[in-house]
Amino acid sequence: MIKYAWNCYSALKITYVNELANLCSATGADIFTVIQGMSYSEKLLPVLQLRPGPGIGGSCLPKDNLAFENMAHKWSERLSLVEAVILANELHKEKLVTTIKCLIGPLKNKKIAILGLSFKANTDDIRYSPAVYVIQ
């Protein structure tokens, strides 16, 4: 599992850079400058800090994924991995609701406590929180 997970993660990163290179070529941006700029933020989400959860949320990630996808389309490019992230995030929230229903049965007339409504720990920001979708 670890070998496959790491190799696929590596392939995702390489494929993402290749897709970025295509968009940079179309827009006139320098892919090496983009890669260097991205490297400064890599310490914000190291692999050891990744944790499974209800999906991506917050004021930046969902909005910026959609904006980047739209930018690529305007330049007649596709960021298929970004498109896949957007779709996977929606499917993940739906799967979470299905899992809850499987664990506790029909939700009608049940009281359920929700802890951790914000999109990440140590914040009170609930913008685009996947938990809001789950609650609804």
Side-chain angles (χ1 to χ4, degrees), residues 5-68:
W6 177 255
N7 284 345
C8 288
Y9 182 63
S10 297
L12 284 167
K13 292 192 293 186
I14 292 166
T15 302
Y16 184 59
V17 165
N18 288 339
E19 288 189 343
L20 287 178
N22 291 336
L23 182 58
C24 285
S25 179
T27 63
D30 177 46
I31 185 59
F32 298 105
T33 301
V34 172
I35 291 169
Q36 183 175 9
M38 288 170 47
S39 74
Y40 297 132
S41 296
E42 200 166 65
K43 64 185 173 206
L44 295 175
L45 188 61
V47 173
L48 287 177
Q49 289 185 3
L50 292 174
R51 297 292 181 267
I56 61 170
S59 61
C60 291
L61 293 181
K63 171 184 62 69
D64 289 352
N65 274 270
L66 289 170
F68 207 29

Side-chain angles (χ1 to χ4, degrees), residues 64-126:
D64 289 352
N65 274 270
L66 289 170
F68 207 29
E69 177 188 34
N70 288 331
M71 175 201 277
H73 285 167
K74 286 180 183 174
W75 288 92
S76 300
E77 292 292 334
R78 280 193 67 196
L79 294 175
S80 60
L81 292 177
V82 173
E83 293 169 10
V85 165
I86 294 166
L87 176 61
N89 192 53
E90 294 305 310
L91 294 174
H92 186 69
K93 292 185 288 189
E94 291 173 17
K95 177 142 178 100
L96 183 56
V97 172
T98 301
T99 300
I100 292 168
K101 288 178 181 177
C102 287
L103 290 172
I104 65 174
L107 301 178
K108 188 171 184 168
N109 298 322
K110 293 229 170 112
K111 291 183 181 181
I112 301 171
I114 306 294
L115 303 174
L117 188 60
S118 64
F119 73 95
K120 69 178 182 179
N122 301 315
T123 184
D124 60 0
D125 189 348
I126 63 166

